Amino acid sequence: MAFEQIPIMELLWNLISRKTESISRVTYFPQKPEFIRDNEDQQENCYVSPESQGIESERLEKMLLDLFEENETKMHQITITRHGNTVLQCGFAPYHADLWHASYSLCKSITGLAVGMLIGEGKLSAEDKLLDLIKGNRSIMGYVRQREIRVKHLLTMSSGVAFNETGAVSGNEWVKGFLESPMHFSPGSSFEYNSMNSYMLSAIITEVTGENMMDYLRPRLWEPLGIENVFWETCPMGITKGGWGLFLCPQDAAKIGQLFLQKGKWKGVFLVSEEWIEASISEQIQVPDSMGYSGYGYQVWMGEREGSFVLNGMLGQNVFVYPDLDMTIVTNAGAGVLFQKCKMQEIIKKYFPIDDPLHDVLPENPSAYKHLKSTIQRIEQGNKRPAVTRDIHAWWNYGKRKKQTMGLCQRLDQKIYHLKEQHAGILPLMMQVFHNNYTSGTKKIGFDLQENDFYVTFYEKDQTYRLQAGLMEWKENKTDFQGEIYETAVIVQAAKDEDDREVLKIEIAFLEDAGNRILKIHFKDESLSEIQVFWNETPGYSLILNGLNSVMTATEESSLMKNMQKKGVTDVLRMLVKQTIEPVTEGILDTKKEK
C-alpha cells in the first residue's frame, strides 16, 4: 500500500473500531467563526424583475418548483443574475438565501484568480518550477521525481503527484508530504483531479508574498467586490487550504462569476488581466466524460453550453457562467454528487436550453412576478402549516401527525437514555473529516418539553449540545462544536415502524454546510424504557464509499490488495464502513432521571 494511503486507511479502521476520540493525525484548532448578519443591505447588485432582464417570471417559477420537488437535487440556495442584476434569490427551507455556505472545490477557481493576480504583478509565471518556488521541505528523491512540475501543471490538475486529498488526514505538514510523494505520471501528460494541487498553489502564494492567500486576496478581491462575510480555513501550518474550506455567500459567489464574465474588470478596473481570464476559461487539458464536458482550464471547468464554464464544488456547489446570455447561476446543495453532471444541471438546462438566446428585455408582467415571489416565499417557509382553504385533506393529516408528535414528545419529557455504544456524534462524519473536528461520541440522549418548546440534548464526554427542535417545523439554533459555531435547524416528527413501534425522527440541518444528521429513534414498547437509535447522514454512505473506492483503486496493483480482493476482504471492509456511517446503537432509560 502506498504510504500516502496509510493515514486514510488508519482513520477508517479507527472509525470501524468505534474509536472516535483523538483519532486525527492533524492538530485540531477551532477556526470557523460565527456568521454575523449585517442589517444594512451591502449588496451592490440591484434586485429587479426577471422581465426587465429578458427572462420570464413564469420560467423561473417552474424551474424553482422542479428543483424543489426533485428530491435528488437537495437544494439549499440559488441565485441568478443577468447583466449584473439579481433576478432570483431563494433559500430552500430551512436554508437561508443570504447565509454563507461551504463551497468545497468551487473555491479552486478563486485560487486560480489569486495566481493570475500574482502573475500580473510580475512575481510569478505559469512556467515557474515548483521546486524553485518552495524552499526547503524537500528530499533528494522528491527533487528527482518532481523537478519538472511547473505552476501550470498545478493549475490544470496535471502534476501527477500521488499525494492527494487523503493527505489532509496524514499529519500537519502537507507541503512536505506533497514534495516527498511519488508520481503517478509525468507532469502535463494526463489529468488527475487532486485538491492538493490547489493547496500547493496557495502555498506558493504564501512563499512568494509572505502572507496567506486569504490575506493576499483581501485588498485585491474581497474589498473591491464588497465581500465582507467570507471565511477560508487554513492548514495547521497557517496556509489557506486553496482547494476547499471556503465559506461564501451565494450573492458574493455571483460577484465572482460576474468578474469572470467581465474578463477580470470590476467598476472599470482590472482586478486580474483579461488574458488570464481567457486562459482560465479555455480548455487547457481534456477530462474524463464522467467528470465534465469539453475540458478543464486553470482551476475552472468547461460547461456543456458552448462558451460556458463552471466554478464547481462537490455536492452541488456551482457558479454556472453563460457568457452568451450574460448570466450566472449560483447553487448550493447537499446532493450526493462529486462533479457538475447531475440532476440539478439537467433541470437548469431544461429551462435555459442551449439554443435559447433569451431577449434583452420583456414587457413587465406584474401578475407572473407576484406569483414567482409567492412561490419563493412558500419554498423559503418550508414545513409550515397548510392553509385550510387550499387543501382540507392536507390540513387534516398535518393536524393528526402534529398531535401524534406532540403526544410522544410529552411522554418523553425529562427522559434520558444511556447509550450502550458511544461512538456516533451529532456532527455528520463527512463534516468531521472535512473540518478535522471529530466527536468524542454520544453517551446519552435526553428530552425535555417546556410549554410547546421541545429540546433534544446530546451528551458527549466533554460537551453537551441542547438543541431546540420544532414539532414538524424547523427550529433554529447556534451550536458550538469545540469552538466552531454552526447555525443548525432541527425538526422532529413521530411515526410508526413496520412493527407498529413508535418512532421519533430527528433531522438536524447544518445550514452553512452540505451535511445533515438524521436519527430515527425506535421505542421497544409503550413504556419507552428501551430504544434503538438509527444514525444516518446525507449525503452519506454512497458518497463516502466513492472515496473508499478511490483508495482501493489507487492500491489495486499491490499484492496485498489483490489477495484481499480475492478473499472478499474488501467487501467486508465496505460493509463495515457502511455500519460505521449508519450505526445502530441501543439505549436504556435512566430511571434516576438525572439531568
Side-chain angles (χ1 to χ4, degrees):
M1 181 178 293
F3 84 92
E4 71 274 5
Q5 303 296 341
I6 293 175
I8 190 67
M9 296 302 294
E10 180 184 87
L11 175 63
L12 283 170
W13 184 252
N14 282 330
L15 292 171
I16 289 169
S17 303
R18 303 297 193 255
K19 181 181 178 182
T20 56
E21 191 175 9
S22 303
I23 63 175
S24 177
R25 290 188 178 189
V26 182
T27 303
Y28 172 75
F29 56 99
Q31 297 191 58
K32 183 189 170 300
E34 178 181 350
F35 180 83
I36 304 298
R37 288 180 173 82
D38 194 331
N39 293 327
E40 296 181 7
D41 185 9
Q42 297 179 345
Q43 271 299 100
E44 297 176 6
N45 289 345
C46 300
Y47 289 81
V48 296
S49 72
E51 281 75 15
S52 70
Q53 305 302 306
I55 306 174
E56 303 89 341
S57 292
E58 184 180 11
R59 182 198 302 233
L60 295 183
E61 181 184 11
K62 288 180 178 179
M63 184 185 74
L64 265 184
L65 289 172
D66 275 4
L67 291 170
F68 176 68
E69 293 168 0
E70 172 55 62
N71 184 57
E72 190 176 320
T73 64
K74 291 185 168 38
M75 295 295 298
H76 293 179
Q77 300 159 320
I78 187 169
T79 295
I80 298 179
T81 69
R82 190 165 193 231
H83 305 321
N85 298 299
T86 303
V87 296
L88 175 69
Q89 188 166 353
C90 181
F92 295 70
Y95 301 89
H96 300 286
D98 61 347
L99 181 65
W100 68 17
H101 197 282
S103 66
Y104 298 102
S105 291
L106 184 155
C107 67
K108 289 181 171 71
S109 302
I110 300 174
T111 298
L113 285 177
V115 171
M117 291 173 180
L118 198 58
I119 289 176
E121 294 170 10
K123 298 177 181 178
L124 188 68
S125 165
E127 297 295 334
D128 285 346
K129 291 185 177 181
L130 171 64
L131 297 183
D132 291 338
L133 296 166
I134 301 292
K135 310 301 180 184
N137 288 309
R138 68 180 65 175
S139 64
I140 295 176
M141 281 303 299
Y143 178 82
V144 172
R145 291 166 178 156
Q146 301 185 8
R147 65 185 182 276
E148 294 304 322
I149 298 177
R150 301 176 187 272
V151 170
K152 65 182 181 182
H153 300 137
L154 300 172
L155 287 164
T156 57
M157 297 292 175
S158 62
S159 72
V161 176
F163 190 79
N164 59 19
E165 287 82 357
T166 61
V169 302
S170 65
N172 291 342
E173 298 188 46
W174 301 354
V175 171
K176 185 174 185 290
F178 190 95
L179 295 179
E180 293 183 350
S181 178
M183 306 284 289
H184 286 161
F185 51 81
S186 59
S189 64
S190 184
F191 176 90
E192 184 175 63
Y193 194 76
N194 181 354
S195 295
M196 283 301 176
N197 287 323
S198 307
Y199 169 77
M200 290 304 293
L201 290 171
S202 176
I204 288 171
I205 291 171
T206 296
E207 188 73 32
V208 172
T209 67
E211 56 186 345
N212 69 34
M213 187 171 65
M214 183 67 182
D215 291 335
Y216 173 78
L217 286 173
R218 186 165 286 109
R220 295 168 175 84
L221 182 69
W222 308 128
E223 290 176 359
L225 268 58
I227 296 175
E228 296 186 0
N229 276 322
V230 59
F231 162 68
W232 209 330
E233 294 173 341
T234 70
C235 77
M237 307 305 288
I239 298 170
T240 304
K241 288 183 176 178
W244 71 101
L246 175 71
F247 287 77
L248 189 67
C249 295
Q251 59 268 34
D252 292 330
K255 291 180 181 180
I256 302 295
Q258 191 66 31
L259 180 65
F260 273 95
L261 264 180
Q262 295 169 182
K263 301 298 179 64
K265 183 183 287 188
W266 194 263
K267 292 185 175 180
V269 177
F270 279 103
L271 304 185
V272 63
S273 73
E274 182 174 354
E275 293 77 17
W276 183 258
I277 295 294
E278 289 286 4
S280 297
I281 64 176
S282 300
E283 180 182 330
Q284 302 291 340
I285 193 167
Q286 293 184 336
V287 302
D289 290 340
S290 61
M291 290 185 176
Y293 293 100
S294 61
Y296 193 75
Y298 287 162
Q299 304 281 284
V300 178
W301 295 89
M302 305 302 100
E304 183 179 16
R305 191 184 192 101
E306 185 176 356
S308 69
F309 52 94
V310 186
L311 287 54
N312 169 254
M314 72 176 202
L315 311 181
Q317 326 320 315
N318 296 287
V319 180
F320 297 103
V321 184
Y322 304 136
D324 64 317
L325 302 180
D326 194 21
M327 186 171 76
T328 71
I329 300 179
V330 177
T331 66
N332 289 120
V337 296
L338 292 177
F339 297 100
Q340 60 172 300
K341 289 186 175 181
C342 60
K343 188 67 176 179
M344 174 203 297
Q345 192 181 58
E346 291 176 14
I347 292 173
I348 291 173
K349 179 182 175 182
K350 173 184 173 182
Y351 290 96
F352 293 100
I354 294 173
D355 58 353
D356 184 358
L358 294 182
H359 299 277
D360 286 332
V361 66
L362 291 170
E364 294 292 343
N365 189 337
S367 176
Y369 187 33
K370 181 179 179 181
H371 211 277
L372 169 63
K373 290 192 288 186
S374 176
T375 296
I376 292 172
Q377 184 179 27
R378 180 165 65 87
I379 291 173
E380 291 184 333
Q381 287 178 341
N383 297 278
K384 298 295 184 181
R385 184 178 304 181
V388 176
T389 54
R390 292 182 181 176
D391 191 338
I392 297 294
H393 184 68
W395 172 271
W396 176 263
N397 284 337
Y398 175 88
K400 183 179 179 181
R401 287 184 287 121
K402 183 75 174 282
K403 183 178 180 181
Q404 180 184 3
T405 301
M406 173 59 83
L408 180 56
C409 290
Q410 287 174 334
R411 292 163 59 204
L412 286 171
D413 183 33
Q414 302 303 310
K415 284 182 168 56
I416 296 177
Y417 294 87
H418 288 267
L419 301 183
K420 296 179 181 179
E421 294 188 67
Q422 302 174 5
H423 58 278
I426 182 175
L427 206 64
L429 180 59
M430 184 192 72
M431 289 180 62
Q432 293 180 45
V433 173
F434 266 95
H435 304 302
N436 191 40
N437 192 345
Y438 292 92
T439 180
S440 60
T442 304
K443 60 181 182 179
K444 295 188 294 184
I445 296 179
F447 307 95
D448 62 283
L449 187 66
Q450 297 183 3
E451 296 181 354
N452 290 325
D453 295 327
F454 186 64
Y455 294 87
V456 184
T457 303
F458 297 82
Y459 300 85
E460 294 196 1
K461 180 180 178 181
D462 300 317
Q463 287 191 294
T464 299
Y465 306 109
R466 186 170 184 261
L467 305 179
Q468 185 178 6
L471 307 184
M472 295 181 58
E473 61 182 42
W474 296 100
K475 291 289 186 180
E476 296 187 16
N477 305 261
K478 284 186 182 288
T479 309
D480 184 331
F481 293 94
Q482 302 188 88
E484 297 191 332
I485 311 299
Y486 281 89
E487 293 198 18
T488 60
V490 188
I491 187 172
V492 299
Q493 180 176 333
K496 293 289 185 74
D497 66 10
E498 62 274 11
D499 297 320
D500 202 38
R501 296 184 304 176
E502 290 184 288
V503 178
L504 185 70
K505 179 182 178 181
I506 305 170
E507 184 168 0
I508 305 168
F510 291 82
L511 304 183
E512 299 152 271
D513 219 296
N516 277 22
R517 169 63 79 191
I518 301 171
L519 296 87
K520 292 182 180 179
I521 302 177
H522 293 241
F523 299 91
K524 184 176 180 180
D525 52 41
E526 290 187 359
S527 69
L528 308 183
S529 59
E530 296 182 42
I531 61 173
Q532 275 188 312
V533 185
F534 292 77
W535 301 77
N536 206 337
E537 62 182 84
T538 59
Y541 170 67
S542 61
L543 180 74
I544 296 176
L545 184 62
N546 283 339
L548 177 62
N549 284 337
S550 70
V551 174
M552 297 301 184
T553 301
T555 58
E556 64 183 359
E557 294 303 318
S558 72
S559 58
L560 173 61
M561 187 56 62
K562 287 180 178 178
N563 287 332
M564 289 175 65
Q565 289 171 340
K566 286 180 181 179
K567 296 178 181 180
V569 175
T570 55
D571 292 334
V572 174
L573 180 60
R574 289 185 176 91
M575 180 188 69
L576 292 172
V577 170
K578 181 175 175 63
Q579 292 175 356
T580 300
I581 300 167
E582 302 175 353
V584 179
T585 58
E586 296 184 350
I588 187 167
L589 179 65
D590 181 357
T591 54
K592 296 179 182 179
K593 297 182 180 180
E594 62 181 1
K595 294 296 286 184

